[in-house]
Amino acid sequence: MYITPIQEIFTGNCKDNCVNIRGWVYRKRTSKKTIFLLIRDATGIIQTTSKKGTEAWKEAGKITIESSLKLSGTVKEDERAPGGYEITTSKIDIIGLSETFPIGKDQSEEFIRDIRHLWLRSRKMNLIMRIRSEVLRFMHTFFRERGFIEISPPMFITSACEGGATLFRTKYFDRDLYLTQSAQLYSEILIYSLEKIYTCAPSFRAEKSRTIRHLTEYWHIEPEWAFADMDDVMKIEEELVSYVCQETAEVCRRELEELGIDPKKLLQIRPPFPRITYKEAIERLHRKGFKVSWGEDMGYDEEKALAEDFNRPFFVHDYPKEIKAFYCKTYRDRPEIAMSVDLLVPRVGEITTGGAREDDRDELIKRIRESGLREEDYDWYIDMRRYGSVPHVGFGLGVERLLMWMLELDNIIDAIPFPRSIRRSYP
Ligand code: 4AD
Ligand code: MG
């Protein structure tokens, strides 16, 4: 028996045909002569009607919200029905009768988070998860089309990439290891063989503060490639973000519109993105009344305020080396400046960090010592600089930060099915 995906009905091709659908009861309303069941499957939601006196009416009477069922009936065009089509039911087979579903209208945010395993059935989460899947596909396509090879980095690691403060320590047999914060240091190994690589993997950060843009486990897209400079980093980043926005606007038009997002907003995202230096960023912030001084890192408030000037993605580059990681290359004629660049977007702030990596062994050792790290923890990383070192670059993009911006989400937790934060690791 052919099961029609609900979305197919809205193409108009099933008009006046008898169809079989399968799914769950989304809403139920009973009038004197008709029971209206809204049925959802993975692809969409359709209204069905069961008339009084029929077999279908009896089954529809018994059925509860979120019960699973198979339903047969005739597709009718009806402008009063949502989407313009509905099904006149001839037969209902209940598959799994649902107990009273705990999610109704006006539930608290906290409650919704406690029952995430049920909330993920909501239309909103269905749409976001579909778009997330496509966005990941577009990123893979982008890199593959440009000759980047995907590699799989380790999750257990021996030393920090992004500083000890957010490192998760974990027992590993008789010793301690850490959970990875970034694939970067391992990716740098592979460029000596494959030249252009990328990873799509989780990163872990022991973020102790609760914010709307931090998770303790997030998905990280990290390309790394040889024989390249700062300009190459910014070019690839703006091409990537623009490509993902264009493709999403085209391919996910229906999902975006249902979420209340105008695809035109994404279609407007095109290269080049504005570029300002850290120095200019600080000057702009001073004009806005912020007290941040040269050498200080920008926080969320500063990033948001800066983004108001652009109202689109933009780069901030050339940071003081003290606020950037030990592996950042510095300008030979300006040793206090790191070749590091962040991509910022409105409302969310930073969505990527990248730049050039120190490729000189002696300089790297100096930077490791200056940063208060132990040389012996980075033996193999330093070792690579001894055998045919090359200028190389890379960046890391937080998938959920990107989605939060594209889909105008209030909180990063809705960009991932099972968010982890300092307070939450259930379900
Ligand atoms: O800025 P970060 O720490 O940079 C790195 O990890 C580099 N090693 C990347 C590289 O060059 N390969 O992290 C990169 C991005 C951030 O810009 C942000 O989008 C995201 O990862 N990110 C987080 N997303 C959600 N929750 C968190 N706690 C995040 N921390 C970083
Ligand atoms: Mg960063």
Side-chain angles (χ1 to χ4, degrees), residues 161-162 181-182 184 205 207 213-216 218 220 222-224 327 350-354 357 394-398 401 412:
C161 180
E162 298 303 324
Q181 297 169 306
S182 161
Q184 183 195 320
R205 305 283 172 111
E207 301 280 358
R213 61 173 196 166
H214 285 95
L215 295 163
T216 52
Y218 70 95
H220 208 169
E222 297 183 275
E224 191 78 24
Y327 53 70
E350 175 193 330
I351 62 165
T352 78
T353 292
R357 321 306 193 187
F395 66 89
L397 175 145
R401 291 251 180 120
I412 196 165

mmCIF file of all heavy atoms in Angstrom, residues 161-162 181-182 184 205 207 213-216 218 220 222-224 327 350-354 357 394-398 401 412, ligand 1:
data_model
loop_
_atom_site.group_PDB
_atom_site.id
_atom_site.type_symbol
_atom_site.label_atom_id
_atom_site.label_comp_id
_atom_site.label_asym_id
_atom_site.label_seq_id
_atom_site.Cartn_x
_atom_site.Cartn_y
_atom_site.Cartn_z
ATOM 1 N N CYS A 161 43.518 23.521 23.317
ATOM 2 C CA CYS A 161 43.678 24.350 22.115
ATOM 3 C C CYS A 161 43.252 25.770 22.456
ATOM 4 O O CYS A 161 43.886 26.730 22.064
ATOM 5 C CB CYS A 161 42.827 23.770 20.990
ATOM 6 S SG CYS A 161 42.912 24.679 19.450
ATOM 7 N N GLU A 162 42.175 25.896 23.216
ATOM 8 C CA GLU A 162 41.604 27.219 23.487
ATOM 9 C C GLU A 162 41.660 27.621 24.958
ATOM 10 O O GLU A 162 40.767 28.288 25.458
ATOM 11 C CB GLU A 162 40.159 27.272 22.982
ATOM 12 C CG GLU A 162 40.022 27.076 21.479
ATOM 13 C CD GLU A 162 40.821 28.101 20.666
ATOM 14 O OE1 GLU A 162 40.905 29.256 21.076
ATOM 15 O OE2 GLU A 162 41.367 27.716 19.620
ATOM 16 N N GLN A 181 38.283 20.863 22.379
ATOM 17 C CA GLN A 181 37.654 22.188 22.258
ATOM 18 C C GLN A 181 37.621 22.624 20.809
ATOM 19 O O GLN A 181 36.930 23.570 20.444
ATOM 20 C CB GLN A 181 38.490 23.233 23.013
ATOM 21 C CG GLN A 181 38.595 23.004 24.492
ATOM 22 C CD GLN A 181 39.653 23.920 25.088
ATOM 23 O OE1 GLN A 181 40.791 23.951 24.643
ATOM 24 N NE2 GLN A 181 39.255 24.674 26.103
ATOM 25 N N SER A 182 38.444 21.978 19.987
ATOM 26 C CA SER A 182 38.608 22.380 18.591
ATOM 27 C C SER A 182 39.466 21.326 17.926
ATOM 28 O O SER A 182 40.372 20.768 18.560
ATOM 29 C CB SER A 182 39.318 23.736 18.546
ATOM 30 O OG SER A 182 39.881 23.965 17.266
ATOM 31 N N GLN A 184 41.415 21.940 15.546
ATOM 32 C CA GLN A 184 42.471 22.689 14.850
ATOM 33 C C GLN A 184 43.881 22.080 14.906
ATOM 34 O O GLN A 184 44.521 21.871 13.873
ATOM 35 C CB GLN A 184 42.520 24.116 15.369
ATOM 36 C CG GLN A 184 43.557 24.961 14.635
ATOM 37 C CD GLN A 184 43.857 26.238 15.363
ATOM 38 O OE1 GLN A 184 42.962 26.869 15.892
ATOM 39 N NE2 GLN A 184 45.109 26.638 15.384
ATOM 40 N N ARG A 205 33.047 22.704 25.605
ATOM 41 C CA ARG A 205 33.563 23.836 26.374
ATOM 42 C C ARG A 205 32.889 23.844 27.745
ATOM 43 O O ARG A 205 31.654 23.846 27.823
ATOM 44 C CB ARG A 205 33.229 25.171 25.677
ATOM 45 C CG ARG A 205 33.710 25.279 24.230
ATOM 46 C CD ARG A 205 35.205 25.555 24.137
ATOM 47 N NE ARG A 205 35.647 25.467 22.761
ATOM 48 C CZ ARG A 205 36.054 26.499 22.018
ATOM 49 N NH1 ARG A 205 36.057 27.708 22.539
ATOM 50 N NH2 ARG A 205 36.454 26.310 20.775
ATOM 51 N N GLU A 207 31.734 25.877 29.742
ATOM 52 C CA GLU A 207 31.278 27.263 29.907
ATOM 53 C C GLU A 207 30.456 27.344 31.186
ATOM 54 O O GLU A 207 29.410 26.719 31.294
ATOM 55 C CB GLU A 207 30.386 27.682 28.727
ATOM 56 C CG GLU A 207 31.048 27.601 27.378
ATOM 57 C CD GLU A 207 31.946 28.794 27.081
ATOM 58 O OE1 GLU A 207 32.018 29.713 27.930
ATOM 59 O OE2 GLU A 207 32.594 28.770 26.020
ATOM 60 N N ARG A 213 24.026 32.284 24.002
ATOM 61 C CA ARG A 213 24.821 31.863 22.845
ATOM 62 C C ARG A 213 25.932 30.865 23.183
ATOM 63 O O ARG A 213 26.833 30.652 22.380
ATOM 64 C CB ARG A 213 25.401 33.080 22.124
ATOM 65 C CG ARG A 213 26.325 33.925 22.976
ATOM 66 C CD ARG A 213 26.980 35.007 22.151
ATOM 67 N NE ARG A 213 28.115 35.551 22.864
ATOM 68 C CZ ARG A 213 29.040 36.317 22.318
ATOM 69 N NH1 ARG A 213 28.949 36.655 21.049
ATOM 70 N NH2 ARG A 213 30.046 36.775 23.018
ATOM 71 N N HIS A 214 25.883 30.273 24.380
ATOM 72 C CA HIS A 214 26.894 29.285 24.758
ATOM 73 C C HIS A 214 26.287 27.931 25.063
ATOM 74 O O HIS A 214 25.332 27.823 25.822
ATOM 75 C CB HIS A 214 27.674 29.756 25.982
ATOM 76 C CG HIS A 214 28.658 30.828 25.674
ATOM 77 N ND1 HIS A 214 28.362 32.161 25.827
ATOM 78 C CD2 HIS A 214 29.927 30.772 25.210
ATOM 79 C CE1 HIS A 214 29.421 32.878 25.469
ATOM 80 N NE2 HIS A 214 30.375 32.065 25.084
ATOM 81 N N LEU A 215 26.883 26.898 24.499
ATOM 82 C CA LEU A 215 26.551 25.521 24.830
ATOM 83 C C LEU A 215 27.825 24.892 25.394
ATOM 84 O O LEU A 215 28.918 25.423 25.173
ATOM 85 C CB LEU A 215 26.145 24.759 23.561
ATOM 86 C CG LEU A 215 24.869 25.219 22.856
ATOM 87 C CD1 LEU A 215 24.827 24.663 21.438
ATOM 88 C CD2 LEU A 215 23.640 24.776 23.642
ATOM 89 N N THR A 216 27.700 23.765 26.084
ATOM 90 C CA THR A 216 28.920 23.078 26.519
ATOM 91 C C THR A 216 29.339 22.051 25.471
ATOM 92 O O THR A 216 30.468 21.585 25.470
ATOM 93 C CB THR A 216 28.721 22.382 27.876
ATOM 94 O OG1 THR A 216 27.560 21.567 27.773
ATOM 95 C CG2 THR A 216 28.540 23.396 28.995
ATOM 96 N N TYR A 218 28.909 21.743 21.259
ATOM 97 C CA TYR A 218 28.350 22.342 20.041
ATOM 98 C C TYR A 218 29.040 21.750 18.827
ATOM 99 O O TYR A 218 30.068 21.079 18.948
ATOM 100 C CB TYR A 218 28.505 23.873 20.065
ATOM 101 C CG TYR A 218 29.920 24.379 19.928
ATOM 102 C CD1 TYR A 218 30.432 24.755 18.689
ATOM 103 C CD2 TYR A 218 30.747 24.476 21.039
ATOM 104 C CE1 TYR A 218 31.746 25.214 18.560
ATOM 105 C CE2 TYR A 218 32.056 24.930 20.916
ATOM 106 C CZ TYR A 218 32.545 25.298 19.673
ATOM 107 O OH TYR A 218 33.837 25.739 19.550
ATOM 108 N N HIS A 220 31.047 22.054 15.323
ATOM 109 C CA HIS A 220 32.089 22.968 14.907
ATOM 110 C C HIS A 220 32.522 22.594 13.491
ATOM 111 O O HIS A 220 32.889 21.450 13.242
ATOM 112 C CB HIS A 220 33.258 22.771 15.893
ATOM 113 C CG HIS A 220 34.124 23.947 16.111
ATOM 114 N ND1 HIS A 220 35.056 24.007 17.114
ATOM 115 C CD2 HIS A 220 34.220 25.119 15.468
ATOM 116 C CE1 HIS A 220 35.690 25.163 17.083
ATOM 117 N NE2 HIS A 220 35.201 25.859 16.086
ATOM 118 N N GLU A 222 35.398 23.247 10.893
ATOM 119 C CA GLU A 222 36.745 23.823 10.930
ATOM 120 C C GLU A 222 37.581 23.429 9.705
ATOM 121 O O GLU A 222 38.081 22.314 9.643
ATOM 122 C CB GLU A 222 37.467 23.376 12.208
ATOM 123 C CG GLU A 222 36.809 23.867 13.482
ATOM 124 C CD GLU A 222 37.608 23.455 14.707
ATOM 125 O OE1 GLU A 222 37.413 22.327 15.188
ATOM 126 O OE2 GLU A 222 38.432 24.248 15.175
ATOM 127 N N PRO A 223 37.745 24.347 8.758
ATOM 128 C CA PRO A 223 38.666 24.086 7.655
ATOM 129 C C PRO A 223 40.074 24.548 8.018
ATOM 130 O O PRO A 223 40.245 25.410 8.884
ATOM 131 C CB PRO A 223 38.100 24.956 6.527
ATOM 132 C CG PRO A 223 37.449 26.092 7.221
ATOM 133 C CD PRO A 223 36.989 25.596 8.575
ATOM 134 N N GLU A 224 41.052 23.949 7.397
ATOM 135 C CA GLU A 224 42.450 24.317 7.606
ATOM 136 C C GLU A 224 43.160 24.085 6.281
ATOM 137 O O GLU A 224 42.924 23.056 5.635
ATOM 138 C CB GLU A 224 43.031 23.415 8.714
ATOM 139 C CG GLU A 224 44.381 23.823 9.239
ATOM 140 C CD GLU A 224 44.324 25.007 10.223
ATOM 141 O OE1 GLU A 224 43.287 25.251 10.862
ATOM 142 O OE2 GLU A 224 45.363 25.695 10.327
ATOM 143 N N TYR A 327 48.724 29.848 19.302
ATOM 144 C CA TYR A 327 49.109 29.388 17.957
ATOM 145 C C TYR A 327 48.982 30.480 16.898
ATOM 146 O O TYR A 327 49.351 30.276 15.750
ATOM 147 C CB TYR A 327 48.251 28.177 17.563
ATOM 148 C CG TYR A 327 46.764 28.432 17.704
ATOM 149 C CD1 TYR A 327 46.084 29.299 16.841
ATOM 150 C CD2 TYR A 327 46.020 27.822 18.722
ATOM 151 C CE1 TYR A 327 44.735 29.553 16.988
ATOM 152 C CE2 TYR A 327 44.669 28.067 18.875
ATOM 153 C CZ TYR A 327 44.034 28.929 18.005
ATOM 154 O OH TYR A 327 42.694 29.194 18.153
ATOM 155 N N GLU A 350 29.981 37.110 17.661
ATOM 156 C CA GLU A 350 30.962 36.229 16.999
ATOM 157 C C GLU A 350 30.365 34.899 16.537
ATOM 158 O O GLU A 350 29.741 34.187 17.324
ATOM 159 C CB GLU A 350 32.092 35.958 18.000
ATOM 160 C CG GLU A 350 33.111 34.969 17.474
ATOM 161 C CD GLU A 350 34.050 34.446 18.566
ATOM 162 O OE1 GLU A 350 34.328 35.170 19.538
ATOM 163 O OE2 GLU A 350 34.488 33.283 18.428
ATOM 164 N N ILE A 351 30.582 34.561 15.264
ATOM 165 C CA ILE A 351 30.216 33.200 14.819
ATOM 166 C C ILE A 351 31.432 32.409 14.322
ATOM 167 O O ILE A 351 31.345 31.197 14.177
ATOM 168 C CB ILE A 351 29.086 33.175 13.748
ATOM 169 C CG1 ILE A 351 29.492 33.887 12.463
ATOM 170 C CG2 ILE A 351 27.796 33.741 14.306
ATOM 171 C CD1 ILE A 351 28.549 33.566 11.293
ATOM 172 N N THR A 352 32.547 33.095 14.041
ATOM 173 C CA THR A 352 33.776 32.353 13.706
ATOM 174 C C THR A 352 34.989 33.047 14.325
ATOM 175 O O THR A 352 34.954 34.247 14.598
ATOM 176 C CB THR A 352 34.078 32.294 12.184
ATOM 177 O OG1 THR A 352 34.637 33.543 11.745
ATOM 178 C CG2 THR A 352 32.856 31.968 11.349
ATOM 179 N N THR A 353 36.039 32.243 14.542
ATOM 180 C CA THR A 353 37.373 32.784 14.796
ATOM 181 C C THR A 353 38.337 32.027 13.901
ATOM 182 O O THR A 353 38.203 30.810 13.743
ATOM 183 C CB THR A 353 37.799 32.601 16.266
ATOM 184 O OG1 THR A 353 36.987 33.438 17.080
ATOM 185 C CG2 THR A 353 39.259 33.020 16.478
ATOM 186 N N GLY A 354 39.266 32.741 13.305
ATOM 187 C CA GLY A 354 40.246 32.073 12.456
ATOM 188 C C GLY A 354 41.474 32.932 12.283
ATOM 189 O O GLY A 354 41.610 33.968 12.941
ATOM 190 N N ARG A 357 48.389 30.622 11.323
ATOM 191 C CA ARG A 357 49.010 29.881 12.423
ATOM 192 C C ARG A 357 50.512 30.149 12.422
ATOM 193 O O ARG A 357 51.135 30.234 11.359
ATOM 194 C CB ARG A 357 48.786 28.382 12.253
ATOM 195 C CG ARG A 357 47.423 27.965 11.741
ATOM 196 C CD ARG A 357 46.287 28.525 12.554
ATOM 197 N NE ARG A 357 45.009 27.874 12.222
ATOM 198 C CZ ARG A 357 43.849 28.259 12.691
ATOM 199 N NH1 ARG A 357 43.757 29.326 13.459
ATOM 200 N NH2 ARG A 357 42.746 27.615 12.377
ATOM 201 N N GLY A 394 43.257 28.783 8.944
ATOM 202 C CA GLY A 394 42.043 28.015 9.179
ATOM 203 C C GLY A 394 41.083 28.839 10.012
ATOM 204 O O GLY A 394 41.405 29.951 10.446
ATOM 205 N N PHE A 395 39.891 28.304 10.182
ATOM 206 C CA PHE A 395 38.938 28.975 11.074
ATOM 207 C C PHE A 395 37.949 27.959 11.623
ATOM 208 O O PHE A 395 37.871 26.819 11.138
ATOM 209 C CB PHE A 395 38.216 30.142 10.373
ATOM 210 C CG PHE A 395 37.293 29.745 9.240
ATOM 211 C CD1 PHE A 395 35.959 29.436 9.476
ATOM 212 C CD2 PHE A 395 37.764 29.712 7.940
ATOM 213 C CE1 PHE A 395 35.112 29.091 8.430
ATOM 214 C CE2 PHE A 395 36.919 29.373 6.879
ATOM 215 C CZ PHE A 395 35.593 29.055 7.128
ATOM 216 N N GLY A 396 37.203 28.374 12.637
ATOM 217 C CA GLY A 396 36.176 27.534 13.223
ATOM 218 C C GLY A 396 34.858 28.282 13.247
ATOM 219 O O GLY A 396 34.807 29.451 13.640
ATOM 220 N N LEU A 397 33.811 27.608 12.774
ATOM 221 C CA LEU A 397 32.483 28.227 12.752
ATOM 222 C C LEU A 397 31.559 27.408 13.636
ATOM 223 O O LEU A 397 31.491 26.176 13.502
ATOM 224 C CB LEU A 397 31.956 28.268 11.314
ATOM 225 C CG LEU A 397 30.537 28.782 11.115
ATOM 226 C CD1 LEU A 397 30.440 29.555 9.807
ATOM 227 C CD2 LEU A 397 29.512 27.665 11.091
ATOM 228 N N GLY A 398 30.857 28.064 14.556
ATOM 229 C CA GLY A 398 29.900 27.385 15.420
ATOM 230 C C GLY A 398 28.578 27.235 14.677
ATOM 231 O O GLY A 398 27.923 28.214 14.354
ATOM 232 N N ARG A 401 25.570 28.798 16.380
ATOM 233 C CA ARG A 401 25.592 30.281 16.339
ATOM 234 C C ARG A 401 25.097 30.758 14.972
ATOM 235 O O ARG A 401 24.344 31.718 14.871
ATOM 236 C CB ARG A 401 27.012 30.790 16.565
ATOM 237 C CG ARG A 401 27.527 30.554 17.968
ATOM 238 C CD ARG A 401 27.620 31.848 18.734
ATOM 239 N NE ARG A 401 28.104 31.587 20.071
ATOM 240 C CZ ARG A 401 29.220 32.107 20.574
ATOM 241 N NH1 ARG A 401 29.973 32.906 19.851
ATOM 242 N NH2 ARG A 401 29.566 31.844 21.814
ATOM 243 N N ILE A 412 20.300 29.878 21.703
ATOM 244 C CA ILE A 412 21.061 28.875 20.934
ATOM 245 C C ILE A 412 20.538 27.460 21.155
ATOM 246 O O ILE A 412 20.708 26.598 20.296
ATOM 247 C CB ILE A 412 22.571 28.978 21.301
ATOM 248 C CG1 ILE A 412 23.432 28.245 20.263
ATOM 249 C CG2 ILE A 412 22.851 28.486 22.713
ATOM 250 C CD1 ILE A 412 24.911 28.579 20.339
HETATM 251 O O1 4AD B 1 36.603 31.153 18.833
HETATM 252 P P1 4AD B 1 36.853 29.716 19.063
HETATM 253 O O2 4AD B 1 37.178 29.304 20.443
HETATM 254 O O3 4AD B 1 38.049 29.307 18.064
HETATM 255 C C1 4AD B 1 38.574 28.063 17.960
HETATM 256 O O4 4AD B 1 38.219 27.084 18.553
HETATM 257 C C2 4AD B 1 39.606 27.919 16.860
HETATM 258 N N1 4AD B 1 40.542 26.869 17.247
HETATM 259 C C3 4AD B 1 38.908 27.597 15.581
HETATM 260 C C4 4AD B 1 39.848 27.377 14.417
HETATM 261 O O5 4AD B 1 40.562 28.285 14.057
HETATM 262 N N2 4AD B 1 39.829 26.215 13.837
HETATM 263 O O6 4AD B 1 35.612 28.880 18.558
HETATM 264 C C5 4AD B 1 35.202 28.991 17.215
HETATM 265 C C6 4AD B 1 33.714 29.214 17.124
HETATM 266 C C7 4AD B 1 33.226 30.511 17.763
HETATM 267 O O7 4AD B 1 33.403 31.589 16.894
HETATM 268 C C8 4AD B 1 31.762 30.197 17.999
HETATM 269 O O8 4AD B 1 31.005 30.333 16.818
HETATM 270 C C9 4AD B 1 31.808 28.735 18.358
HETATM 271 O O9 4AD B 1 33.016 28.203 17.841
HETATM 272 N N3 4AD B 1 31.771 28.548 19.810
HETATM 273 C C10 4AD B 1 30.688 28.174 20.505
HETATM 274 N N4 4AD B 1 29.420 27.913 20.116
HETATM 275 C C11 4AD B 1 28.529 27.565 21.071
HETATM 276 N N5 4AD B 1 28.827 27.445 22.371
HETATM 277 C C12 4AD B 1 30.088 27.702 22.815
HETATM 278 N N6 4AD B 1 30.380 27.555 24.109
HETATM 279 C C13 4AD B 1 31.087 28.088 21.858
HETATM 280 N N7 4AD B 1 32.383 28.400 21.930
HETATM 281 C C14 4AD B 1 32.800 28.670 20.685
#
